Amino acid sequence: MPVPVPVPQQRDVPAAETSHGGDLTVLVIEDDPAGSITGPELSAAAGTRVRIRTARNLTEAGRLLTDDVDCILLDLSLPVPAGSAAAAPTAAAPATASTTAAPGAEHRPEPAPGRADELAVLTHVLRIAPLHAVLVLTAQDDTELAAEAVRVGAQDYLFRGELDARVLSRAIRYAVERKRADIAQHQLTESGLRAQENARLERGLLPTPLLEGSDLSFAARYRPGRSRALLGGDFYDTVRTPDGTVHAMIGDVCGHGPDEAALGVELRIAWRALTLAGLCGDQLLSTLQQVLEHERQSEEIFATLCTVDIAPDGRRAGLCLAGHPAPLLARHGRPARLLPYEDGGPALGLLPRARWPRRQVELGGEWSLMMYTDGLIEGRVGAGSSQRLGQDGMVAMVNSRLEQGLTGEDLLEAAVAEVRELNGGELTDDVAVLLLGRDPERIRRRGRSASRPGPVSTAPAAAPAASAQRPPLYGP
């Protein structure tokens, strides 16, 4: 009865990257009782230690293929045991749970028609050892077969008549380095594709403010706390409704995982839909709480929220707080200060029948309103310090930047950079900050420019760039 060929446990790290110093371990798979390949001769030719293991068949090779093997030297004339996995067509060979897919293995070409049987041993070895360099041995008159073996996945080939120790040593080292280069190139390609996917996710999940027709300026910064993440649990949005009111909100789902990030996106989209449908204040927040209760993974999940609806004339606003830090208002010629927060309600998801009062706030003629999440104020003040920046520290920091004349994007960029610097390194929490502003002089200049007659053009108006109002994603 045929003995099944075992599939050894494969590591995630390529063999070429785990060698100790210049030492090499080579697994020779050939049915040669004379043992023509010996370690001392190879070591002398290479100038470094070469350990040789010899397997007479695939079953024995499966036992000897351990993590310290750097290269496999395979005799293509090795007989294939009847009934073994190698005897079956490679396309039908089942994947096993213990096999680690090699970079690019899923795209490995099949042998040319008529060559499958001759390369059955090779395709089996490539399947059970996807992270190892493979050299094939063949007869000198099998040049086409040797080239086909390289096309299928081997790193190089040698003729049996050329088994000089120096040639073999050089070929082994070349095969190991080529395998390392192939894996590095595949990882680089995957990294580029992942970056493109992240860019598409950014375009799809980060908000585009709907402010067409508004005189207000807008700026935002967003930085997820999770390493290599695109989105965190923080979320924000800004829209202008047909009556001219500008609605803005910023929120924070407790936690930092992908589930919290997904919930933040759901709440943002729900807020935009409800706002455009005409809801605001307590009615909007009550509905958002219902969305949160239905979509959250656990009853312990809650979200803080701050909403602002700015009147069409831009001089006053309604403010609702659901367990969220109060916005910062800077009026022309005055220091920035926090808006009142005593009348705020609880975070969404904490109390079943909670209410969120809407407070009227006077903004004035020229102002900047900064909304933020707690990641901006909970950073440390000094590496290793237990003191937090806090709201008072944030107000002082923003005022110092305003005195330097910073506004808009520059103000947010400087503020987030300073918070990171004070923290002594990367912030562990998500950070979202948005800035709305009204500048009467800019509005007057725009009005004069719009009223000035210009040349009449019959060409169709160019479509606005899709990213014209999209806030940049802030990263390290």
Side-chain angles (χ1 to χ4, degrees), residues 125-143:
V125 168
L126 292 175
R127 183 175 65 84
I128 67 172
L131 299 176
H132 288 78
V134 178
L135 271 171
V136 295
L137 282 174
T138 186
Q140 197 149 358
D141 57 352
D142 282 341
T143 304

Side-chain angles (χ1 to χ4, degrees), residues 18-58:
T18 57
S19 298
H20 299 288
D23 295 353
L24 290 173
T25 299
V26 179
L27 175 61
V28 180
I29 310 176
E30 65 167 349
D31 188 13
D32 181 9
S36 58
I37 301 174
T38 59
E41 292 180 2
L42 284 179
S43 296
T48 56
R49 183 182 178 190
V50 179
R51 294 180 290 269
I52 299 294
R53 296 179 187 173
T54 303
R56 305 302 180 190
N57 52 55
L58 294 178

Side-chain angles (χ1 to χ4, degrees), residues 116-260:
D117 292 341
E118 296 175 286
L119 295 176
V121 173
L122 172 62
T123 53
H124 177 73
V125 168
L126 292 175
R127 183 175 65 84
I128 67 172
L131 299 176
H132 288 78
V134 178
L135 271 171
V136 295
L137 282 174
T138 186
Q140 197 149 358
D141 57 352
D142 282 341
T143 304
E144 292 185 4
L145 179 63
E148 180 67 10
V150 172
R151 189 188 70 84
V152 169
Q155 271 61 60
D156 204 351
Y157 65 87
L158 289 171
F159 298 128
R160 293 190 190 91
E162 296 179 348
L163 283 185
D164 171 80
R166 189 173 300 277
V167 172
L168 180 56
S169 174
R170 185 169 62 248
I172 290 172
R173 291 186 174 278
Y174 168 77
V176 170
E177 291 302 324
R178 180 176 176 182
K179 184 67 175 180
R180 177 186 297 172
D182 289 346
I183 291 175
Q185 180 61 43
H186 179 82
Q187 292 172 340
L188 183 63
T189 302
E190 277 194 336
S191 177
L193 291 174
R194 192 176 300 114
Q196 294 175 12
E197 292 174 358
N198 286 346
R200 286 194 291 271
L201 282 172
E202 177 186 337
R203 287 193 295 270
L205 298 180
L206 287 177
T208 301
L210 300 180
L211 290 174
E212 185 177 357
S214 172
D215 292 326
L216 302 184
S217 61
F218 175 89
R221 282 291 181 274
Y222 187 93
R223 181 189 173 279
R226 292 184 297 130
S227 176
R228 297 186 179 181
L230 177 70
L231 293 173
D234 292 2
F235 54 99
Y236 67 89
D237 205 352
T238 308
V239 299
R240 180 178 184 267
T241 48
D243 65 353
T245 303
V246 171
H247 303 261
M249 72 88 174
I250 194 165
D252 182 3
V253 177
C254 68
H256 306 288
D259 290 337
E260 288 77 14

Side-chain angles (χ1 to χ4, degrees), residues 241-471:
T241 48
D243 65 353
T245 303
V246 171
H247 303 261
M249 72 88 174
I250 194 165
D252 182 3
V253 177
C254 68
H256 306 288
D259 290 337
E260 288 77 14
L263 181 56
V265 173
E266 291 181 78
L267 292 176
R268 179 185 68 77
I269 294 173
W271 176 88
R272 174 175 285 200
L274 293 170
T275 300
L276 293 175
L279 276 67
C280 70
D282 181 78
Q283 187 181 12
L284 186 149
L285 292 176
S286 298
T287 309
L288 274 183
Q289 176 159 278
Q290 294 179 39
V291 174
L292 171 67
E293 291 170 346
H294 283 92
E295 298 296 330
R296 63 186 175 182
Q297 300 292 320
S298 165
E299 292 187 357
E300 298 177 353
I301 299 296
F302 63 90
T304 66
L305 198 71
C306 169
T307 69
V308 173
D309 52 280
I310 303 170
D313 63 4
R315 304 185 68 89
R316 60 190 184 281
L319 170 67
C320 286
L321 295 175
H324 199 88
L328 188 67
L329 175 65
R331 293 175 177 171
H332 179 62
R334 302 182 190 179
R337 63 176 181 84
L338 295 172
L339 291 180
Y341 50 84
E342 295 84 2
D343 296 336
L348 304 181
L350 292 183
L351 300 178
R353 289 176 292 277
R355 288 293 177 263
W356 294 272
R358 178 178 177 275
R359 182 165 188 155
Q360 191 74 14
V361 177
E362 293 297 325
L363 300 177
E366 183 176 351
W367 50 266
S368 293
L369 183 68
M370 191 176 85
M371 305 167 68
Y372 54 93
T373 56
D374 58 8
L376 189 69
I377 60 177
E378 291 189 349
R380 308 285 180 178
V381 181
S385 171
S386 60
Q387 182 183 353
R388 306 278 186 176
L389 176 64
Q391 287 181 292
D392 292 340
M394 179 199 65
V395 172
M397 177 188 66
V398 170
N399 276 324
S400 67
R401 297 298 182 178
L402 289 172
E403 291 174 359
Q404 297 172 9
L406 297 183
T407 59
E409 300 277 357
D410 295 335
L411 175 61
L412 295 189
E413 185 80 34
V416 176
E418 184 171 349
V419 168
R420 293 172 62 199
E421 183 178 350
L422 289 172
N423 190 61
E426 292 298 331
L427 299 166
T428 57
D429 199 2
D430 308 325
V431 175
V433 193
L434 66 86
L435 188 68
L436 291 167
R438 184 176 188 272
D439 183 354
E441 180 59 31
R442 186 175 64 88
I443 295 173
R444 283 192 293 270
R445 288 197 304 269
R446 180 187 298 177
R448 288 195 298 267
S449 175
S451 62
R452 188 176 300 121
V456 178
S457 174
T458 59
S467 60
Q469 290 184 321
R470 181 175 304 282

